[in-house]
Amino acid sequence: MAKEILSNSYSNLPPLPHYQTSLLPSLIPGIPDKLLSVILPIAAYWALSMLFHWIDTKDYFPQYRLHTPAEVSSRNKVSRWEVVRDVIIQQVIQTAVGWGLGLTEPDDLVGKEEYDVAIWARRIRLAQRAIPGLLALAGLDVAGLAKNLNPSHPVLAGVVLGGRYSNLETPLANHNGLIESIPGFTAWEQTLAGALYWYLIPAIQYGIAIVVVDTWQYFLHRAMHMNKWMYTTFHSRHHRLYVPYAYGALYNHPFEGFLLDTLGASIAYKLAGMSTRQGMWFFTASTFKTVDDHCGYALPWDPLQRLTSNNAGYHDVHHQSWGIKTNFSQPFFTFWDRLLGTVWTGGDVSARYEKAKIAAIKKTGHDNKITITHSNVADSATQDPRPYQDDRKNATGLSAIPVKDQQPLPPKGKAELQAAGSRQQVLDDKKDGGPQVLIQEAVEEKEARSLLRRGGRRRTASSFSQTDSFKGLKERVTGSMHGRAGTLIGMESNR
């Protein structure tokens, strides 16, 4: 127990209350918050992953799947057992770092909240001292205005006088026996101070953490794609999953997992000045978002996919052979992609995305004109081609690949350059990439497009009207494209 009595350090300001602190009780009795902060994100990872895996195995929402179970089996270059193993390795590292991070943090305390709110109320009172001068600059008679306001609006009169509320002063004898007038806080000052302390400051802290982790991950992630050695040595492992699924979200090279995810989140937590419990929720929310981004479903009612444009559809582009050097932003927002010109500009180029878009329109009953990939096909012809201006010229290996094996074909312009650079990166990955990846994707694309044609409707580049409902498409997709659903359940080797 610690007890502090703080004196009034400012004249004419309300005194600060006494406070007594104690340890914040654990969120779950018997489990210290510092331990829970490393357990909860891992529990969240597997809970949400298994929910999506259960949806996969039951085939509940085939109409919203971005890829078929057959693609999961045929296109991915790593078995599910290997994915589980490497995710657990990363989570062991994550746990060790998280525990060490917790040792550097003081224990969370309670009992000082009223004092901290009073500090903010004092700051609000001090800020009011500037009001009389500002009103005088505007040519107003401050004293006269306050006098007129005082009978009906005494609080407003006190604001005009710079936070001098005579009706709130309380006579009190000091230690010398002399009577002094002790000022108090108004109700509006206390309410505003409470809102700042309990809501605005934590919101700013979470905002800072989100910006830091998004910035950290964007530039490191982009570097791993732009540098051939870094890609083939570290990051190409994650891209063995050409068709992402939920519990593969943290399938990485251990060094990359530490550098990109664990260290980035730790730095964001420290720079934001979070408490242990705030960090617990931040790490858990980041985990939920990462898993959802890899879930493989464009769900129109998923709140995590509706809050930001950085969602499963957006990130799926990054796992395709034609978009692997685009859409680097993760896990929260896409501002760096959009500021630096690395967002995919080809619209919903794949027939797979058209299927998911049509299903969403059928579910919601309207077309909100938002593409699955959150890109506008018209941007390909109008956007500055940088940083992809040389990618077509540098894609020397792509000339040997027939056009029929470069499907889907992107629109002319920037998207064409993005696809060329992306496919060349796949070709450069001799171990897990190569021409066979492009060939396999072209085969799957041809099958999906054939199903769409048989649905009796024509596709558009990036959006569909409500009339494009593709009657009967769900049955065809379920019957023809999900015929190998059994391969989704097992931990088979896909090499």
Side-chain angles (χ1 to χ4, degrees):
M1 293 285 190
K3 185 173 182 180
E4 298 186 25
I5 301 177
L6 293 114
S7 63
N8 183 3
S9 58
Y10 296 93
S11 61
N12 299 321
L13 288 177
L16 297 174
H18 303 167
Y19 68 87
Q20 189 171 25
T21 61
S22 60
L23 290 175
L24 176 69
S26 299
L27 187 66
I28 298 179
I31 303 178
D33 277 1
K34 290 182 179 180
L35 178 59
L36 191 61
S37 68
V38 298
I39 294 175
L40 199 57
I42 295 173
Y45 184 92
W46 290 108
L48 187 57
S49 293
M50 290 302 100
L51 173 62
F52 279 114
H53 184 66
W54 177 68
I55 292 172
D56 284 345
T57 57
K58 297 296 183 180
D59 204 22
Y60 279 134
F61 305 111
Q63 68 272 36
Y64 300 126
R65 288 196 65 134
L66 299 175
H67 300 275
T68 68
E71 285 185 85
V72 175
S73 175
S74 62
R75 292 183 57 207
N76 286 341
K77 306 301 178 183
V78 61
S79 74
R80 291 178 179 269
W81 281 121
E82 291 172 291
V83 170
V84 171
R85 178 200 65 196
D86 284 10
V87 168
I88 291 174
I89 289 173
Q90 175 161 338
Q91 289 178 334
V92 169
I93 296 171
Q94 175 183 308
T95 300
V97 173
W99 183 251
L101 188 68
L103 295 178
T104 69
E105 292 293 309
D107 293 326
D108 288 349
L109 302 174
V110 290
K112 194 185 174 188
E113 294 81 5
E114 186 181 351
Y115 171 87
D116 290 331
V117 170
I119 288 290
W120 279 103
R122 272 191 165 194
R123 290 166 179 165
I124 293 168
R125 178 67 61 86
L126 287 171
Q128 295 171 65
R129 298 285 171 86
I131 292 176
L134 294 174
L135 294 176
L137 285 176
L140 297 176
D141 178 6
V142 175
L145 179 61
K147 183 178 179 180
N148 292 333
L149 288 171
N150 192 58
S152 57
H153 300 90
V155 173
L156 186 56
V159 173
V160 169
L161 290 173
R164 302 184 189 282
Y165 305 94
S166 57
N167 60 318
L168 294 178
E169 294 181 352
T170 303
L172 192 69
N174 62 19
H175 62 282
N176 293 321
L178 300 176
I179 302 298
E180 292 183 339
S181 293
I182 305 300
F185 292 116
T186 63
W188 78 266
E189 288 173 320
Q190 292 174 315
T191 300
L192 180 57
L196 289 171
Y197 178 77
W198 291 109
Y199 302 105
L200 183 60
I201 300 305
I204 290 173
Q205 288 177 297
Y206 282 117
I208 291 171
I210 286 171
V211 170
V212 170
V213 79
D214 273 2
T215 301
W216 178 271
Q217 293 210 11
Y218 174 85
F219 286 100
L220 272 176
H221 188 193
R222 178 175 172 174
M224 288 187 176
H225 279 276
M226 297 305 179
N227 183 284
K228 183 177 178 179
W229 178 82
M230 290 181 70
Y231 180 79
T232 55
T233 304
F234 301 114
H235 192 53
S236 63
R237 180 180 296 203
H238 182 67
H239 283 281
R240 292 173 183 171
L241 292 175
Y242 287 94
V243 180
Y245 48 80
Y247 62 83
L250 291 183
Y251 172 66
N252 297 303
H253 187 286
F255 176 72
E256 179 196 346
F258 165 74
L259 186 66
L260 196 67
D261 297 310
T262 305
L263 185 59
S266 300
I267 291 173
Y269 163 74
K270 281 291 192 180
L271 290 180
M274 290 180 170
S275 65
T276 297
R277 189 162 291 182
Q278 284 178 304
M280 179 195 308
W281 298 126
F282 174 67
F283 298 143
T284 303
S286 299
T287 300
F288 270 129
K289 187 68 172 60
T290 300
V291 171
D292 194 79
D293 289 349
H294 290 80
C295 72
Y297 288 87
L299 300 172
W301 33 261
D302 182 343
L304 291 177
Q305 297 193 25
R306 304 289 290 181
L307 286 174
T308 79
S309 60
N310 196 348
N311 52 31
Y314 184 89
H315 190 66
D316 189 77
V317 171
H318 179 71
H319 278 262
Q320 305 312 303
S321 65
W322 42 268
I324 205 168
K325 288 183 72 174
T326 67
N327 291 11
F328 301 120
S329 292
Q330 57 184 59
F332 294 106
F333 296 97
T334 64
F335 55 86
W336 283 118
D337 270 328
R338 300 189 185 281
L339 282 172
L340 300 179
T342 53
V343 68
W344 168 250
T345 59
D348 288 351
V349 67
S350 172
R352 305 171 183 87
Y353 299 148
E354 293 178 14
K355 172 179 67 69
K357 174 65 175 179
I358 295 163
I361 293 173
K362 291 171 69 177
K363 173 69 176 179
T364 60
H366 68 278
D367 183 2
N368 57 14
K369 305 301 181 184
I370 299 176
T371 59
I372 294 296
T373 58
H374 288 266
S375 67
N376 186 351
V377 69
D379 291 341
S380 182
T382 59
Q383 279 198 9
D384 186 334
R386 292 177 295 180
Y388 303 99
Q389 67 273 19
D390 297 324
D391 278 28
R392 183 71 191 180
K393 178 179 65 176
N394 295 334
T396 55
L398 200 58
S399 58
I401 306 297
V403 174
K404 69 179 181 65
D405 294 332
Q406 298 183 44
Q407 300 295 323
L409 286 176
K412 297 292 184 181
K414 186 172 183 176
E416 193 174 30
L417 300 175
Q418 291 174 321
S422 296
R423 285 170 170 147
Q424 183 60 48
Q425 183 155 88
V426 172
L427 294 176
D428 289 339
D429 183 9
K430 304 301 182 184
K431 183 178 180 182
D432 299 305
Q436 67 275 14
V437 171
L438 305 187
I439 294 170
Q440 182 63 46
E441 184 164 2
V443 169
E444 301 287 354
E445 180 67 23
K446 182 180 178 181
E447 180 183 353
R449 197 164 300 282
S450 175
L451 285 171
L452 285 174
R453 283 198 299 268
R454 291 203 298 271
R457 297 290 188 270
R458 298 182 62 185
R459 69 184 286 272
T460 61
S462 62
S463 65
F464 286 80
S465 68
Q466 192 167 343
T467 59
D468 290 321
S469 60
F470 283 80
K471 185 178 180 181
L473 177 60
K474 177 181 175 181
E475 289 75 14
R476 290 186 178 89
V477 169
T478 303
S480 300
M481 298 182 75
H482 293 261
R484 295 173 64 185
T487 60
L488 183 67
I489 304 173
M491 297 293 187
E492 78 290 347
S493 173
N494 295 313
R495 287 191 180 279

PDB file of all heavy atoms in Angstrom, residues 68 92 269 338 380:
ATOM      1  N   THR A  68     -11.775 -22.477 -53.534  1.00  0.00           N
ATOM      2  CA  THR A  68     -12.430 -23.752 -53.255  1.00  0.00           C
ATOM      3  C   THR A  68     -11.513 -24.653 -52.432  1.00  0.00           C
ATOM      4  O   THR A  68     -10.290 -24.469 -52.419  1.00  0.00           O
ATOM      5  CB  THR A  68     -12.762 -24.471 -54.567  1.00  0.00           C
ATOM      6  OG1 THR A  68     -11.542 -24.878 -55.201  1.00  0.00           O
ATOM      7  CG2 THR A  68     -13.540 -23.567 -55.506  1.00  0.00           C
ATOM      8  N   VAL A  92       5.612 -19.871 -29.429  1.00  0.00           N
ATOM      9  CA  VAL A  92       6.565 -20.082 -28.326  1.00  0.00           C
ATOM     10  C   VAL A  92       7.487 -18.869 -28.217  1.00  0.00           C
ATOM     11  O   VAL A  92       7.734 -18.342 -27.112  1.00  0.00           O
ATOM     12  CB  VAL A  92       7.369 -21.370 -28.537  1.00  0.00           C
ATOM     13  CG1 VAL A  92       8.536 -21.448 -27.556  1.00  0.00           C
ATOM     14  CG2 VAL A  92       6.479 -22.600 -28.384  1.00  0.00           C
ATOM     15  N   TYR A 269       3.296  -1.223 -28.544  1.00  0.00           N
ATOM     16  CA  TYR A 269       2.813  -1.218 -27.163  1.00  0.00           C
ATOM     17  C   TYR A 269       3.621  -0.251 -26.301  1.00  0.00           C
ATOM     18  O   TYR A 269       3.059   0.538 -25.524  1.00  0.00           O
ATOM     19  CB  TYR A 269       2.896  -2.645 -26.621  1.00  0.00           C
ATOM     20  CG  TYR A 269       2.818  -2.809 -25.132  1.00  0.00           C
ATOM     21  CD1 TYR A 269       1.611  -2.654 -24.461  1.00  0.00           C
ATOM     22  CD2 TYR A 269       3.951  -3.134 -24.390  1.00  0.00           C
ATOM     23  CE1 TYR A 269       1.531  -2.819 -23.086  1.00  0.00           C
ATOM     24  CE2 TYR A 269       3.886  -3.310 -23.023  1.00  0.00           C
ATOM     25  CZ  TYR A 269       2.673  -3.145 -22.370  1.00  0.00           C
ATOM     26  OH  TYR A 269       2.600  -3.307 -21.012  1.00  0.00           O
ATOM     27  N   ARG A 338      -1.973   3.040 -50.071  1.00  0.00           N
ATOM     28  CA  ARG A 338      -2.605   4.072 -50.891  1.00  0.00           C
ATOM     29  C   ARG A 338      -1.719   5.302 -51.028  1.00  0.00           C
ATOM     30  O   ARG A 338      -1.672   5.917 -52.099  1.00  0.00           O
ATOM     31  CB  ARG A 338      -3.972   4.429 -50.305  1.00  0.00           C
ATOM     32  CG  ARG A 338      -4.899   3.206 -50.266  1.00  0.00           C
ATOM     33  CD  ARG A 338      -6.326   3.504 -49.913  1.00  0.00           C
ATOM     34  NE  ARG A 338      -7.074   2.253 -49.790  1.00  0.00           N
ATOM     35  CZ  ARG A 338      -7.537   1.539 -50.815  1.00  0.00           C
ATOM     36  NH1 ARG A 338      -7.330   1.974 -52.042  1.00  0.00           N
ATOM     37  NH2 ARG A 338      -8.200   0.411 -50.617  1.00  0.00           N
ATOM     38  N   SER A 380      -6.230   1.515 -62.821  1.00  0.00           N
ATOM     39  CA  SER A 380      -5.093   0.937 -63.531  1.00  0.00           C
ATOM     40  C   SER A 380      -4.621   1.843 -64.659  1.00  0.00           C
ATOM     41  O   SER A 380      -3.407   1.965 -64.910  1.00  0.00           O
ATOM     42  CB  SER A 380      -5.464  -0.438 -64.093  1.00  0.00           C
ATOM     43  OG  SER A 380      -4.367  -1.033 -64.747  1.00  0.00           O
TER      44      SER A 380
END
